[in-house]
């Protein structure tokens, strides 16, 4: 059995010195001068560990993850899965909220892994490591921690990975899933004739119309990164690995344009970006998932994964692609859906209170997914005295 080892972020002085030398030769944007990286704060806020996880057909990978249990023994085990250009840091704001116990809402035991090749997780050493393998790593990590029944939350790549988990391990292990990045194809008469006919006679809401226009703009103006990372990741990787300013520009553009006017501070941006710069496998490793996704046998067709376990969805208006509400029914067994007036792509970081409230509502006593994990409903068990 793999041993859980405590982990703290520690960057060698030699690497920091090299970074300073490279930055000294660069004309840095004025607003980002004289800033630093506060990893000690991350170590204080996030209990981190590493564990060896086996992957079928591939080598064993050493996986970095955040793991915090609620003080409530029967809290709901929740797996949080990030995307790109995110990392385990996306769980930072929601973690203390999720583990809270209260008579008013459910508590969660939280696991947030660094996906292979991201952050401080080891990257795959052989080609063909596609989204299904990322899902296997995440699932096996939960099993190794003793969470044989759990729920999931994810956006971006986390959406696809948790969808695969819900499809492959749903029912027996994965009991419900929630996403803030639902991707769905238009309704098809042959697949769901009733919903299709309802859609024909139901006009789009104002929010859906705005979302469709935003999706069109993103398809036209914002897809360059995807095409590059999914076709020539190694070419781009040389620049990302060698140039800290190039990496900063590549990621900061997404942080600025994929959010709903989130007021990024210099420290937030630099901490976010330097997790990539000092990542265990290097910045190039994190973008290879795009190539493997496009070139895998069925990974590029999310619709091939059809979960039946309960699905919850949170919609944020400045998401990259906005799926009309009616279409979400084609994704799976939709039991919970809520629409927010603000928020963008990085919901857990931009809107932590709203996202946590949605999870509490979905899995709470009045929610449609209450009690999906047997014996762990997130509330304190009251023992009745025998009279």
């Amino acid at each position: 059995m793999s041993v859980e080892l405590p982990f703290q972020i520690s960057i060698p002085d030699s690497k920091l010195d090299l970074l300073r030398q490279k930055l000294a030769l660069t004309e840095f944007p004025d607003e980002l001068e004289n800033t630093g990286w506060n990893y000690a704060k991350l170590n204080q806020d996030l209990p981190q560990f590493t564990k060896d996880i086996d992957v079928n057909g591939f080598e064993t990978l050493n996986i970095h993850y955040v793991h915090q249990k609620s003080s409530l023994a029967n809290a709901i085990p929740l797996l949080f899965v990030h995307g790109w250009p995110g990392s385990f840091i996306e769980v930072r704001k929601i973690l203390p909220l999720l583990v809270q116990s209260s008579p008013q809402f459910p508590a969660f035991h939280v696991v947030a892994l660094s996906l292979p090749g991201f952050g401080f997780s080891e990257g795959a050493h052989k080609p063909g490591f596609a989204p299904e393998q990322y899902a296997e790593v995440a699932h096996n990590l939960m099993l190794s921690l003793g969470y044989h029944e759990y729920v999931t939350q994810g956006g971006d790549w986390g959406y696809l990975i948790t969808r695969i988990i819900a499809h492959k391990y749903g029912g027996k292990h994965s009991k419900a899933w929630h996403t803030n990045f639902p991707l769905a194809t238009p309704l098809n008469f042959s697949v769901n004739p009733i919903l299709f006919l309802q859609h024909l006679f139901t006009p789009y809401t104002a929010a859906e119309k705005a979302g469709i226009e935003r999706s069109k703009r993103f398809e036209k103006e914002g897809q360059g990164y995807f095409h590059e990372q999914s076709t020539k990741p190694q070419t781009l990787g040389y620049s990302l690995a060698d140039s800290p300013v190039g990496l900063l520009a590549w990621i900061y553009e997404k942080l600025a344009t994929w959010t709903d006017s989130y007021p990024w501070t210099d420290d937030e941006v630099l901490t976010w970006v330097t997790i990539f710069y000092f990542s265990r496998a290097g910045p190039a490793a994190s973008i290879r998932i795009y190539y493997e996704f496009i070139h895998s046998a069925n990974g590029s067709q999310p619709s091939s994964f059809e979960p039946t376990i309960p699905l919850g969805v949170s919609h944020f208006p400045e998401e990259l692609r906005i799926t009309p509400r009616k279409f979400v029914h084609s994704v799976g067994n939709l039991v919970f859906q809520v629409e927010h007036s603000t928020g963008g792509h990085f919901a857990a970081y931009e809107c932590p209170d709203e996202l946590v409230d949605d999870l509490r509502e979905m899995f709470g006593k009045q929610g449609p997914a209450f009690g999906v994990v047997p014996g762990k409903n997130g509330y304190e068990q009251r023992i009745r005295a025998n009279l």
Side-chain angles (χ1 to χ4, degrees), residues 11-25:
I11 308 302
D13 289 340
S14 59
K15 290 189 176 183
L16 291 171
D17 290 340
L18 179 60
L19 174 59
R20 293 187 185 100
Q21 291 173 24
K22 289 185 175 183
L23 295 180
L25 299 174

Side-chain angles (χ1 to χ4, degrees), residues 102-155:
S102 168
Q104 280 71 50
F105 50 76
F108 299 84
H109 299 313
V110 181
V111 177
L113 81 162
S114 291
L115 291 171
F118 286 75
F120 303 103
S121 282
E122 185 178 3
H125 302 285
K126 296 193 299 184
F129 201 93
E132 285 191 75
Q133 281 68 48
Y134 288 83
E136 182 182 347
V137 167
H139 172 66
N140 287 347
L141 174 62
M142 293 299 282
L143 297 185
S144 74
L145 294 173
Y147 299 129
H148 291 265
E149 296 172 307
Y150 58 90
V151 301
T152 65
Q153 201 291 319

Side-chain angles (χ1 to χ4, degrees), residues 258-275:
W258 292 5
T259 56
D260 189 5
S261 301
Y262 179 79
W264 293 99
T265 66
D266 292 351
D267 280 345
E268 282 181 309
V269 172
L270 292 175
T271 300
W272 195 290
V273 174
T274 52
I275 288 175

Side-chain angles (χ1 to χ4, degrees), residues 41-346:
K41 182 63 174 161
L42 282 183
N43 287 333
Q44 293 171 8
D45 292 347
L46 303 175
Q48 301 164 65
F49 306 88
T50 61
K51 224 176 195 297
D52 289 339
I53 301 297
D54 294 331
V55 188
N56 187 37
F58 291 82
E59 66 276 14
T60 298
L61 297 179
N62 188 251
I63 299 299
H64 166 264
Y65 58 97
V66 173
H67 182 199
Q68 185 163 337
K69 290 188 174 185
S70 170
S71 60
L72 195 66
N74 64 320
I76 305 166
L78 182 144
L79 170 66
F80 175 85
V81 184
H82 66 81
W84 186 93
S87 69
F88 69 95
I89 198 175
E90 291 187 62
V91 81
R92 186 178 191 176
K93 295 181 180 180
I94 64 174
L95 183 66
L97 302 176
L98 288 171
V99 297
Q100 289 180 10
S101 61
S102 168
Q104 280 71 50
F105 50 76
F108 299 84
H109 299 313
V110 181
V111 177
L113 81 162
S114 291
L115 291 171
F118 286 75
F120 303 103
S121 282
E122 185 178 3
H125 302 285
K126 296 193 299 184
F129 201 93
E132 285 191 75
Q133 281 68 48
Y134 288 83
E136 182 182 347
V137 167
H139 172 66
N140 287 347
L141 174 62
M142 293 299 282
L143 297 185
S144 74
L145 294 173
Y147 299 129
H148 291 265
E149 296 172 307
Y150 58 90
V151 301
T152 65
Q153 201 291 319
D156 195 87
W157 284 116
Y159 159 74
L160 178 58
I161 291 168
T162 56
R163 178 172 179 162
I164 296 172
I165 290 173
H167 172 77
K168 294 185 66 175
Y169 311 111
K172 181 178 180 181
H173 297 290
S174 179
K175 297 297 185 180
W177 61 305
H178 178 278
T179 184
N180 50 284
F181 188 58
L183 296 179
T185 56
L187 296 174
N188 188 304
F189 179 80
S190 62
V191 176
N192 199 319
I194 296 178
L195 281 177
F196 180 83
L197 293 174
Q198 288 177 342
H199 165 62
L200 291 180
F201 297 100
T202 305
Y204 288 119
T205 66
E208 288 174 328
K209 291 178 181 178
I212 291 172
E213 290 304 311
R214 175 168 172 76
S215 299
K216 289 179 179 178
R217 290 196 302 272
F218 179 74
E219 290 290 335
K220 182 179 179 180
E221 305 289 345
Q223 283 280 74
Y225 82 98
F226 185 94
H227 296 304
E228 179 67 21
Q229 294 183 171
S230 62
T231 57
K232 304 295 181 184
Q234 193 66 18
T235 302
L236 178 61
Y238 287 113
S239 297
L240 299 182
D242 184 66
S243 172
V245 176
L247 178 65
L248 172 66
W250 191 250
I251 293 180
Y252 179 64
E253 171 209 314
K254 282 73 177 175
L255 299 183
T257 61
W258 292 5
T259 56
D260 189 5
S261 301
Y262 179 79
W264 293 99
T265 66
D266 292 351
D267 280 345
E268 282 181 309
V269 172
L270 292 175
T271 300
W272 195 290
V273 174
T274 52
I275 288 175
F276 282 88
Y277 189 75
F278 290 122
S279 61
R280 180 171 179 173
S286 67
I287 64 176
R288 293 190 183 116
I289 187 174
Y290 288 84
Y291 181 90
E292 299 294 355
F293 166 68
I294 290 297
H295 293 84
S296 63
N298 61 354
S300 60
Q301 300 296 326
S303 59
S304 63
F305 303 104
E306 301 178 342
T308 59
I309 61 174
L311 164 66
V313 171
S314 296
H315 297 276
F316 293 90
E318 294 301 309
E319 184 53 272
L320 305 182
R321 294 186 180 90
I322 308 295
T323 300
R325 310 302 173 259
K326 297 181 288 292
F327 293 3
V328 179
H329 287 274
S330 67
V331 176
N333 178 20
L334 184 67
V335 300
F336 176 85
Q337 188 169 207
V338 64
E339 185 173 309
H340 295 281
S341 59
T342 60
H345 187 63
F346 305 102

